[in-house]
Amino acid sequence: MQDGLGRTIDYLRISITDRCNLRCKYCMPEEGVPWRDMKEILTYEEIETFCRIGAELGISKIKVTGGEPLVRKGCPGLIRKLKEIPGIREVTMTTNGVLLEEYLDDLCHAGLDAVNISLDTLCPEVYESLTGRPYLFKVQKGLEAALSQGLKVKVNVVLQEGINDGEWKNLTELAKDAPLDVRFIELMPIGYGKRGKGIAGDEILKKLTQDFGPLKEDVEIHGNGPARYVRIPGYKGSVGFISAMHVKFCDSCNRLRLTSTGEIKPCLCYGESFPIRELLRTGDLEGVREILKEAILKKPAEHCFTELEKITETKRMTEIGG
Ligand code: SAM
Ligand code: SF4
């Protein structure tokens, strides 16, 4: 379906839980946050029903995210159900990778098409101070296991000044010998992200160019997102930049979000959302369809991340689904 500005909306990101086994400083406070009561969280059946309606309206790609999707029991079963929906071509997941090795076989059998692994540092001490947990080795094992299963892998990196900005090079090198894409995502002023100082994608690109010479833009389609990619000669994978703060890609935005508590969010930047949980629970599927259409039609033209006073979203990234 097209939104009010003629953009085709075919991509849905679903937060299946607000819970997480890490405490990334830009996402959650160290002491954690009160979890939502499970009664407030959409059941897997409700998510599946919503996705069936979405597929009828043109959603063809789904990303399962959170919180940490793999801390919710039965996540591979949900993936399998979503893959079976007519019209859904691709189901992928964004995970911190801590539990990936444990669930990898189940996820692959369920038909997961690709995985994004969030990894901001390769230094165990920095990892522990950034995430509050000593789990770097688990993420690395998950990453290796995913590659050895032949799963498509992207590594998502958020660099912050004075914390891990010196690691642009060793993180880029992950794409040297393995066919994975490393993507530098600019820190956005959502939730606890307002506290940190991010690094512009162009700054990293400049450093890469100083090291490797002019880099060829990789125009091959890499996924559903707004990333621009370059290739480094001799590298098996590409390096991508998702520069929400410095490059506006809203005119080609194709996505909607569904929060863990059942609210459709047309844009990450604004608080406006469209609740569908009670409609799902009372079996009013026609009502859900109408709300979904309305949410698509009312998708804002663009975000306003560079004008902090205009950001109306107050929820945390874990609730919205990053
Ligand atoms: N727990 C999973 C993970 O970390 O991959 C999925 C949810 S997490 C919210 C999804 C992504 O959002 C992660 O790559 C994380 O680095 C990113 N993220 C969280 N807060 C952010 C912020 N303020 N700005 C940019 N990216 C952010
Ligand atoms: Fe958890 Fe992902 Fe947020 Fe880190 S970024 S605290 S892993 S939800």
Side-chain angles (χ1 to χ4, degrees):
M1 180 175 161
Q2 289 195 335
D3 72 1
L5 298 166
R7 294 172 294 193
T8 297
I9 307 302
D10 59 5
Y11 178 39
L12 176 67
R13 294 176 73 98
I14 308 172
S15 172
I16 65 166
T17 178
D18 60 333
R19 300 173 190 218
C20 188
N21 47 359
L22 295 184
R23 296 288 178 273
C24 303
K25 285 203 169 83
Y26 52 73
C27 187
M28 244 203 234
E30 225 160 298
E31 66 280 11
V33 290
W35 304 131
R36 294 287 194 147
D37 192 309
M38 276 311 281
K39 286 199 238 49
E40 292 181 65
I41 304 287
L42 291 187
T43 65
Y44 284 153
E45 290 71 25
E46 287 163 351
I47 293 174
E48 185 191 338
T49 302
F50 179 77
C51 289
R52 283 187 187 277
I53 295 169
E56 285 162 17
L57 291 179
I59 296 293
S60 61
K61 292 167 277 193
I62 295 176
K63 170 89 72 202
V64 172
T65 178
E68 171 49 39
L70 290 176
V71 300
R72 183 163 176 187
K73 274 206 191 95
C75 177
L78 173 70
I79 306 271
R80 186 169 343 99
K81 290 282 185 193
L82 298 181
K83 283 286 291 184
E84 284 166 7
I85 297 175
I88 298 300
R89 287 193 286 115
E90 194 181 278
V91 179
T92 60
M93 169 184 282
T94 296
T95 170
N96 59 32
V98 172
L99 296 173
L100 187 57
E101 191 186 22
E102 195 175 316
Y103 287 106
L104 191 65
D105 284 346
D106 292 347
L107 291 168
C108 290
H109 285 135
L112 186 73
D113 291 292
V115 67
N116 290 5
I117 301 174
S118 304
L119 180 57
D120 297 338
T121 173
L122 296 177
C123 166
E125 291 77 28
V126 178
Y127 187 90
E128 186 166 350
S129 100
L130 201 63
T131 68
R133 303 286 184 271
Y135 293 156
L136 176 61
F137 72 100
K138 285 178 181 256
V139 184
Q140 287 174 318
K141 278 179 146 188
L143 173 59
E144 279 160 27
L147 287 168
S148 66
Q149 285 265 10
L151 196 58
K152 258 193 355 209
V153 175
K154 291 176 185 165
V155 174
N156 286 349
V157 182
V158 176
L159 292 181
Q160 292 181 85
E161 203 175 287
I163 295 178
N164 59 344
D165 49 345
E167 290 201 58
W168 59 272
K169 191 158 184 194
N170 60 0
L171 286 160
T172 295
E173 280 171 359
L174 289 174
K176 190 172 181 184
D177 297 320
L180 58 79
D181 297 329
V182 175
R183 310 183 319 157
F184 292 99
I185 300 177
E186 288 183 351
L187 184 71
M188 292 177 285
I190 290 288
Y192 295 91
K194 292 192 188 88
R195 301 191 296 199
K197 186 155 189 331
I199 303 289
D202 273 356
E203 238 180 86
I204 303 159
L205 181 58
K206 210 162 109 192
K207 289 190 167 121
L208 287 174
T209 311
Q210 278 162 4
D211 262 39
F212 296 102
L215 297 173
K216 251 217 181 121
E217 188 145 353
D218 189 355
V219 285
E220 203 185 306
I221 304 282
H222 277 269
N224 309 310
R228 293 170 303 152
Y229 285 90
V230 294
R231 287 208 75 95
I232 298 177
Y235 275 46
K236 289 195 173 151
S238 305
V239 182
F241 303 91
I242 303 182
S243 309
M245 302 301 292
H246 292 87
V247 182
K248 270 227 167 129
F249 33 73
C250 302
D251 56 356
S252 60
C253 186
N254 62 346
R255 64 187 58 188
L256 280 186
R257 288 180 159 81
L258 180 66
T259 70
S260 55
T261 54
E263 296 188 14
I264 307 169
K265 262 190 70 67
C267 178
L268 194 53
C269 189
Y270 306 102
E272 186 177 34
S273 64
F274 297 79
I276 45 88
R277 186 181 63 207
E278 295 320 311
L279 292 170
L280 280 168
R281 289 188 179 172
T282 53
D284 182 359
L285 302 189
E286 205 38 56
V288 174
R289 189 186 317 272
E290 287 312 307
I291 297 278
L292 176 53
K293 280 188 194 166
E294 188 187 347
I296 293 175
L297 285 172
K298 288 194 173 159
K299 188 172 161 67
E302 55 185 16
H303 70 66
C304 59
F305 284 139
T306 48
E307 295 162 273
L308 292 185
E309 69 289 353
K310 289 195 187 161
I311 300 174
T312 55
E313 182 52 87
T314 53
K315 286 197 233 25
R316 293 181 294 273
M317 204 66 144
T318 45
E319 291 176 274
I320 305 166

